[in-house]
Amino acid sequence: MKKDKQTEELVPLLMEREKELNCLYYVDEILGNRSSSLTDIFQDLITAIPTGWRYPKDCQARIIYKDQTYESPRHKPARYQESAPIFVGDKEAGSVEVSYIKEVPETSEGPFLKQESQLLRTIADRIGQTLLHRQLESLLSEQKETTSEWKAVVDMLRRTDEKLYLYCSRKMLYHLFCRGITEARETLQSFGSEFAAQYAEVMGEVNIPTRKESRENLLQISEKVFRIASRYLNDEEILSSLHKWIQENRLGYLIRTVDSDIMSLKEIIDVLLRYHAQAGNETVLSESTDKWLRVSLIRRFFTDDVEFINYAKQYLKVSDFFDLVSRIIYPAGSNGRLGGKSTGLFLAWHIISGAAEKNDLLEGIKMPKTWYMTADCLTEFLHYNDLGDVSELKYENIEQIRFEYPNIIQLFKHGRFPSDIYKGLSHALDEFGHNPIIVRSSSLLEDRAGTAFSGKYKSLFLPNQGSKKERLHALTDAIAEIYASVYNPDAILYRTEHGLLDFHEEMGIMIQEVVGCRVGPYYMPNYAGVAFSSNEFRWSPRLKREDGLIRLVPGLGTRAVDRISNDYPAMISPGQPDIRVNATPDEVRYYSPSYVDAINLETCTLETISFQRLLADYGNELPNLSRIVSTYRDGEIRRLSPLETDLEKTELVATFDGLIKRTSFDRKMKQILQTLQEGMNTPVDIEFACDGEDFYLLQCRPQFTEEVEVPEAIRQDIPLKEILFRIHRFISNGWVPDITHIVYVPPAHYAQQKSLDTMVDIGRAVGKLNTLLPKRRFILMGPGRWGSRGDIKQGVPITYSDISHTAALVEIAYKKGAYEPELSFGTHFFQDMVEAGIRYIPIYPHEADSVFNEKFLLSSENILADILPEYEYLEDTLRVIDVSKQKDEKVLKILMNADINEGIGFFDKPAPISEQIKVPRKTTVIHNEEYWQWRLRMAEQLALRLGSRKFGVVAVYLIGSTASATAGP
């Protein structure tokens, strides 16, 4: 019943929004008609004003001006009435009044809504501005024969609006002062605190209150200012300046509203639209006022972050917000912001648009049609559905969160949206029509420097087909599921790792039209991908970090940002496009994209389809096909000939050679990345797509980069028996701290698993080991590809929360097996590892110069059952090795040198106890003493388990810096 009552009150409130805005536009149109007399204007206004109120048929209006009353002949005395004064300049000249002639239902605010009261004050303000403008025009007309126009304006201001007169004289004094006019400096010194305080270097600092000037003295000094102006400035310059300052002062309501922390989002949007209606796209504000307004708008819609504001204000104009505010969906009384993803895209788009004026490579770049939901829509959704208690879940242990998360998704998907949000979504769908859309997360924490939340929150594609009701249901269902992803265990663990768990996370939403074209029953981009201005994992010593990286795929970009178990993207360095990952034709063929993600408009599903099958059936419908594919014939990769029309009989490979070699694509991408990096003052990560003709920017965020690592000297004196691995492919610089434990999944044993449930259990066990083993003191080794989307036989099914504490992820690829590590550089999976400081190391044991001591891993004692007795049945497939126990207190050390393309993992004595271990950026610093404290805790747990299972007496010892556990019969 409570919700029904809320709904009954909300629906009429929502309808008022549109009526109020239409009423204001109607009022502005009437006041802007210069050919109408004041009497006609007032008569038109009393007809127009009631249309903005809840019950227009029972509402009446009247205007009182200079003791004259303007009302309709049918005007009646009324019980419910409200009025607002009309000020012409700083003097009250009349009032505007509305009233109801019948009883009307009252809300908690009374017979008149708060928004209606604001609307009435706005109308009164607009009437006063128009009356002042007409008075000035009349005075100018009277005096233009006898005096200069600017003098007539000044005289009128002095007689009718003393406050505005003083404002203009102050602005003129500053103007003359900045022009270096000596008399202006002398006059400034004689002014009171209001004028001189802003120029302390002229007055000098004093430690007593400044003298208050009398009104008469201020007026005399103002007259002197204009006399000085008449001697040094021409009439045209003075009049132009006065016109700008008067107009700027008239727009003061805009500054006051936007800069106010108590104004709702609706009030700010309304006042911004009013400003647009009055000023158009022209800049009528002074440079300083314009900058103040830009900063206030950035802060209000996006963020308080000072660093972001400092560079954003250089690229954003007030006019850039006009289109934005017309596509924002927000709850009643909203004070919400748009979130990280919306913020990044909006700024990036305007940086590129501005730079395109001077750089031809950036011309024609587009942004898809986009609507935005404020972040506090989530809070409103939670309250509306009595789901506020779910926020407590983030403080539960990770296992409990994993257990609860599927239930939360269903709770949210069965929730309802308040009517005002529902109506806004309906308007958005009207603009999108039946074009497919993608619903993207845009949380307050997302896409910030150092906290990208890559892949932690959902983005969902919608075919957007069917009736309006069906499309609206699908949209609200998708939004609810994205809201639920705030409680995704990966996201909560990520927030915990970054010290953000206590932050009240709110989720904005970005709804975008999907870039693409129809190909048979499918809708998809010609190509899409992600790009990074800084390449954090270079496959060749000739590549530099600043050369950047592109991951490129045909179809939707999902296969570029996700780690896929059975497919590969094309990887290109825009700084050096000729240095490709794969050199031989056979490698290019094998490691090319084989599948495409696309939206099936007939079945209304997101499908993964064979690229060869798509080309055979609909290849001739793909625009600019020769840019995407090449032919493979007789062991050679060749350019697709226009004569090859039978695509079913031609083996085609997605090389993107035509795009790279015969267009400006690589130079365009390099320029985009460089421009955005310079504009945002940080390396950037972008998503993009092309519909076959136009290039679209879809997303932009700061890219987390590792600290510059120096190549480590690779020791050559290490005995072979002490080497765990030696590798020569895809090496980065740096070293991994002393490793005490190895978690190993033997590829051969994993391949023999027949049960998918067992494979899932292996992933779960790894996740539990992640919480039990010492942070950054263990590594994970096993068949690639860990954590990939698709066939879990290709790699252990884990997520970020399962590996967040490891020091390195080592993927092993035996030539005889199917476990080929994928170069996942640039995926969400890889970015997680970069941010967490987790090293990625691929091992190719079949290569002649590689060393891989699997015998040590298979013959060492497996302590899995001691740590996780419930997973003892996995001992053959999941091995946990205590390195120090197997190697006489030695640890595993890993050194990497990209300059010589070599890496080595070997056993050696640990660093001295007094030394602080060097660790990758953003990871916990560990001392050896801390490690031994951990050993003590584990020994205690182990002793308790052993004592309860096999032994009668358990003893734990801590001697110096050594912990041990013993047990006896």
Side-chain angles (χ1 to χ4, degrees):
M1 294 296 293
K2 180 181 178 182
K3 290 183 181 178
D4 291 341
K5 185 177 180 181
Q6 290 175 336
T7 303
E8 289 175 3
E9 292 184 354
L10 266 176
V11 171
L13 292 178
L14 296 172
M15 296 173 63
E16 296 317 299
R17 291 188 171 184
E18 188 173 357
K19 287 199 296 183
E20 290 166 12
L21 200 55
N22 289 336
C23 173
L24 191 57
Y25 287 148
Y26 192 9
V27 167
D28 281 340
E29 184 179 347
I30 294 170
L31 293 173
N33 189 344
R34 296 193 176 194
S35 62
S36 296
S37 66
L38 279 181
T39 299
D40 290 340
I41 286 176
F42 290 151
Q43 291 297 338
D44 289 342
L45 285 176
I46 62 175
T47 302
I49 290 172
T51 64
W53 268 251
R54 278 193 301 161
Y55 305 101
K57 292 183 179 179
D58 299 325
C59 185
Q60 58 185 4
R62 69 176 174 182
I63 296 173
I64 299 172
Y65 176 61
K66 288 187 175 179
D67 299 327
Q68 291 290 321
T69 300
Y70 301 87
E71 59 187 21
S72 71
R74 298 184 297 277
H75 193 277
K76 300 177 182 179
R79 175 183 174 187
Y80 301 116
Q81 64 183 27
E82 188 171 22
S83 65
I86 298 173
F87 285 91
V88 179
D90 58 352
K91 296 180 180 178
E92 186 173 344
S95 64
V96 55
E97 175 190 291
V98 293
S99 57
Y100 283 123
I101 59 176
K102 295 181 180 179
E103 294 281 340
V104 296
E106 291 195 29
T107 67
S108 58
E109 301 171 13
F112 298 100
L113 301 176
K114 181 175 66 174
Q115 290 87 347
E116 291 174 334
S117 302
Q118 176 64 33
L119 176 62
L120 187 64
R121 292 192 294 270
T122 300
I123 292 172
D125 182 42
R126 292 290 292 112
I127 293 172
Q129 292 172 9
T130 300
L131 292 172
L132 176 61
H133 188 68
R134 287 201 166 213
Q135 287 183 13
L136 287 171
E137 284 186 333
S138 176
L139 183 62
L140 285 173
S141 178
E142 294 173 4
Q143 298 187 356
K144 65 180 180 179
E145 299 296 331
T146 59
T147 186
S148 301
E149 286 190 46
W150 72 263
K151 292 182 179 178
V153 171
V154 169
D155 184 58
M156 180 64 185
L157 289 177
R158 185 176 54 78
R159 289 194 285 126
T160 62
D161 194 338
E162 189 174 284
K163 186 176 179 180
L164 183 55
Y165 171 69
L166 292 173
Y167 172 81
C168 290
S169 66
R170 184 171 74 248
K171 299 290 282 188
M172 179 60 77
L173 179 58
Y174 295 160
H175 180 65
L176 295 171
F177 176 84
C178 292
R179 293 278 293 264
I181 296 172
T182 304
E183 289 180 64
R185 180 182 294 272
E186 294 171 351
T187 304
L188 182 63
Q189 290 177 328
S190 66
F191 251 105
S193 59
E194 181 184 7
F195 291 81
Q198 297 187 35
Y199 290 91
E201 73 277 12
V202 176
M203 297 291 294
E205 294 290 347
V206 293
N207 295 322
I208 58 173
T210 306
R211 174 175 55 88
K212 179 180 179 180
E213 297 288 351
S214 66
R215 171 179 171 276
E216 291 74 17
N217 193 35
L218 289 175
L219 291 173
Q220 289 176 8
I221 296 175
S222 296
E223 292 175 6
K224 181 180 179 181
V225 168
F226 286 112
R227 289 198 299 270
I228 296 171
S230 67
R231 291 197 292 272
Y232 292 94
L233 307 177
N234 59 48
D235 289 355
E236 183 179 349
E237 184 177 358
I238 296 175
L239 184 63
S240 174
S241 297
L242 286 171
H243 174 74
K244 183 177 72 173
W245 296 330
I246 291 171
Q247 196 166 13
E248 182 180 302
N249 184 264
R250 286 175 58 196
L251 294 170
Y253 67 88
L254 175 65
I255 305 294
R256 291 191 298 273
T257 302
V258 174
D259 205 45
S260 172
D261 289 327
I262 62 173
M263 293 294 184
S264 71
L265 195 65
K266 178 190 181 303
E267 292 171 310
I268 291 173
I269 290 175
D270 286 349
V271 81
L272 199 59
L273 292 175
R274 278 179 57 198
Y275 171 67
H276 186 204
Q278 294 176 33
N281 289 320
E282 297 180 4
T283 299
V284 296
L285 304 173
S286 69
E287 183 178 349
S288 59
T289 304
D290 182 73
K291 183 178 291 186
W292 177 23
L293 182 56
R294 278 184 280 132
V295 168
S296 296
L297 288 169
I298 294 168
R299 182 178 61 83
R300 190 61 186 79
F301 286 100
F302 299 128
T303 179
D304 279 319
D305 183 73
V306 175
E307 185 177 356
F308 178 88
I309 292 173
N310 281 338
Y311 59 75
K313 70 183 180 184
Q314 303 174 51
Y315 300 99
L316 297 179
K317 304 186 293 293
V318 173
S319 59
D320 293 334
F321 290 83
F322 296 153
D323 183 64
L324 173 73
V325 299
S326 65
R327 288 188 171 88
I328 296 179
I329 299 167
Y330 51 91
S334 171
N335 283 290
R337 290 172 171 149
L338 301 186
K341 198 165 291 181
S342 301
T343 298
L345 178 61
F346 185 78
L347 176 60
W349 164 243
H350 288 288
I351 290 175
I352 292 294
S353 298
E357 298 175 4
K358 300 178 181 179
N359 193 317
D360 294 343
L361 282 172
L362 301 177
E363 284 185 356
I365 296 174
K366 297 183 177 181
M367 186 179 87
K369 190 179 298 178
T370 305
W371 278 68
Y372 310 87
M373 292 179 67
T374 57
D376 57 355
C377 286
L378 169 58
T379 303
E380 188 74 8
F381 176 83
L382 293 175
H383 291 166
Y384 195 73
N385 293 282
D386 295 328
L387 293 172
D389 59 324
V390 300
S391 296
E392 301 171 9
L393 181 65
K394 65 184 180 181
Y395 294 111
E396 299 286 352
N397 65 65
I398 197 68
E399 287 300 317
Q400 180 70 21
I401 294 170
R402 284 197 181 101
F403 179 79
E404 291 284 353
Y405 181 51
N407 181 52
I408 288 177
I409 293 176
Q410 292 305 315
L411 279 174
F412 277 52
K413 288 170 82 73
H414 282 85
R416 296 165 58 227
F417 283 83
S419 299
D420 48 354
I421 297 176
Y422 199 81
K423 182 178 179 181
L425 294 172
S426 177
H427 287 325
L429 285 182
D430 289 340
E431 185 171 358
F432 287 124
H434 285 80
N435 293 327
I437 57 177
I438 178 172
V439 187
R440 294 174 173 265
S441 65
S442 182
S443 80
L444 295 182
L445 290 174
E446 197 171 0
D447 288 3
R448 305 191 309 173
T451 58
F453 282 82
S454 302
K456 300 298 175 294
Y457 301 136
K458 291 189 175 183
S459 292
L460 302 174
F461 288 95
L462 298 178
N464 196 28
Q465 306 297 298
S467 67
K468 175 71 173 294
K469 182 179 181 181
E470 291 170 333
R471 293 186 292 126
L472 196 52
H473 175 75
L475 177 57
T476 54
D477 184 74
I479 293 169
E481 186 167 341
I482 293 173
Y483 282 166
S485 67
V486 170
Y487 305 97
N488 176 359
D490 262 17
I492 291 177
L493 181 63
Y494 185 92
R495 290 168 58 189
T496 303
E497 293 282 321
H498 288 77
L500 299 170
L501 188 63
D502 297 326
F503 182 88
H504 177 57
E505 174 72 303
E506 289 188 316
M507 176 64 74
I509 295 289
M510 192 165 70
I511 309 170
Q512 280 185 338
E513 187 174 87
V514 175
V515 173
C517 60
R518 183 153 186 163
V519 180
Y522 302 107
Y523 189 91
M524 52 183 266
N526 198 241
Y527 62 83
V530 291
F532 304 84
S533 62
S534 178
N535 189 344
E536 292 304 298
F537 205 117
R538 296 165 287 286
W539 56 85
S540 169
R542 291 187 291 156
L543 288 175
K544 299 185 291 293
R545 176 177 286 200
E546 58 270 23
D547 287 330
L549 170 68
I550 304 172
R551 289 174 62 89
L552 197 59
V553 296
L556 296 172
T558 46
R559 302 184 80 78
V561 298
D562 291 337
R563 193 171 207 215
I564 309 299
S565 63
N566 59 348
D567 205 8
Y568 303 88
M571 291 207 301
I572 303 148
S573 173
Q576 299 194 63
D578 294 332
I579 304 178
R580 302 295 289 269
V581 179
N582 304 300
T584 69
D586 284 337
E587 285 181 337
V588 172
R589 177 195 184 198
Y590 182 81
Y591 294 107
S592 67
S594 300
Y595 295 90
V596 173
D597 284 349
I599 298 171
N600 190 321
L601 297 178
E602 295 178 358
T603 62
C604 292
T605 56
L606 180 65
E607 288 187 17
T608 297
I609 51 181
S610 164
F611 189 43
Q612 290 295 331
R613 188 70 260 164
L614 179 74
L615 292 173
D617 293 343
Y618 309 107
N620 292 321
E621 297 180 33
L622 277 168
N624 295 313
L625 181 61
S626 62
R627 295 181 180 179
I628 301 174
V629 301
S630 304
T631 63
Y632 179 84
R633 185 181 298 129
D634 301 327
E636 293 184 6
I637 299 291
R638 300 176 181 176
R639 179 178 178 180
L640 178 66
S641 169
L643 301 177
E644 294 179 276
T645 56
D646 191 353
L647 301 180
E648 190 168 4
K649 295 181 180 180
T650 305
E651 184 173 358
L652 301 175
V653 180
T655 62
F656 297 96
D657 282 351
L659 186 67
I660 298 165
K661 295 178 180 179
R662 295 188 292 277
T663 74
S664 61
F665 173 77
D666 60 299
R667 291 184 291 118
K668 179 193 286 282
M669 291 301 302
K670 182 64 177 174
Q671 189 60 57
I672 290 172
L673 294 170
Q674 182 178 333
T675 300
L676 291 175
Q677 176 167 316
E678 292 174 356
M680 301 180 78
N681 196 33
T682 182
V684 295
D685 159 3
I686 69 170
E687 292 184 19
F688 61 89
C690 175
D691 60 8
E693 296 295 334
D694 295 318
F695 182 95
Y696 289 81
L697 183 65
L698 307 181
Q699 179 179 319
C700 179
R701 62 186 173 199
Q703 178 193 358
F704 182 88
T705 58
E706 292 183 312
E707 292 180 340
V708 177
E709 296 280 2
V710 297
E712 293 292 328
I714 305 298
R715 289 174 52 184
Q716 302 300 323
D717 60 341
I718 303 170
L720 183 61
K721 66 177 183 178
E722 299 298 334
I723 297 177
L724 180 62
F725 60 80
R726 187 187 293 271
I727 54 177
H728 299 276
R729 291 180 66 182
F730 311 119
I731 307 299
S732 60
N733 285 324
W735 73 315
V736 178
D738 296 356
I739 299 301
T740 62
H741 288 78
I742 299 172
V743 178
Y744 181 54
V745 179
H749 294 186
Y750 189 79
Q752 293 169 2
Q753 298 303 313
K754 304 298 182 183
S755 169
L756 294 181
D757 289 339
T758 301
M759 292 181 175
V760 171
D761 284 348
I762 292 171
R764 289 173 178 165
V766 168
K768 290 195 174 184
L769 290 170
N770 182 66
T771 63
L772 293 174
L773 294 174
K775 186 176 182 180
R776 298 293 181 266
R777 303 300 295 273
F778 71 95
I779 64 171
L780 300 173
M781 302 183 69
R785 313 164 185 175
W786 292 65
S788 60
R789 174 167 68 91
D791 185 3
I792 66 173
K793 292 181 181 180
Q794 298 289 326
V796 181
I798 48 86
T799 64
Y800 169 76
S801 61
D802 298 314
I803 65 168
S804 60
H805 291 172
T806 189
L809 181 66
V810 182
E811 295 188 334
I812 304 159
Y814 279 100
K815 192 170 185 179
K816 60 184 178 182
Y819 306 111
E820 186 73 20
E822 182 230 350
L823 302 180
S824 57
F825 324 140
T827 61
H828 292 158
F829 184 83
F830 182 74
Q831 287 303 110
D832 280 342
M833 293 197 296
V834 172
E835 286 190 18
I838 300 171
R839 293 288 181 178
Y840 172 69
I841 302 171
I843 296 179
Y844 299 84
H846 58 274
E847 294 185 342
D849 54 354
S850 293
V851 174
F852 178 49
N853 186 2
E854 188 177 25
K855 182 179 179 181
F856 167 79
L857 298 172
L858 294 176
S859 62
S860 296
E861 180 186 357
N862 187 358
I863 63 171
L864 174 66
D866 296 330
I867 300 176
L868 293 175
E870 64 271 31
Y871 287 102
E872 184 175 3
Y873 69 96
L874 296 176
E875 280 186 322
D876 289 341
T877 315
L878 181 61
R879 303 182 59 79
V880 183
I881 300 165
D882 186 333
V883 176
S884 62
K885 188 174 181 180
Q886 299 300 314
K887 282 290 183 177
D888 299 325
E889 301 300 328
K890 291 182 179 179
V891 294
L892 175 68
K893 297 184 177 182
I894 300 174
L895 306 177
M896 293 174 288
N897 187 315
D899 292 351
I900 62 174
N901 216 21
E902 185 172 352
I904 186 171
F906 63 98
F907 302 108
D908 198 3
K909 292 295 183 182
I913 294 174
S914 59
E915 284 188 13
Q916 178 175 298
I917 297 176
K918 186 174 74 173
V919 296
R921 186 180 180 185
K922 291 251 180 183
T923 60
T924 306
V925 175
I926 306 172
H927 296 264
N928 276 359
E929 292 179 1
E930 294 176 8
Y931 165 66
W932 289 112
Q933 290 293 332
W934 171 85
R935 289 290 298 269
L936 172 62
R937 292 194 300 273
M938 290 303 296
E940 290 172 341
Q941 293 181 26
L942 177 58
L944 289 173
R945 286 177 174 172
L946 292 175
S948 64
R949 293 167 60 206
K950 298 179 181 178
F951 299 93
V953 180
V954 177
V956 179
Y957 302 97
L958 176 63
I959 303 173
S961 59
T962 303
S964 63
T966 63

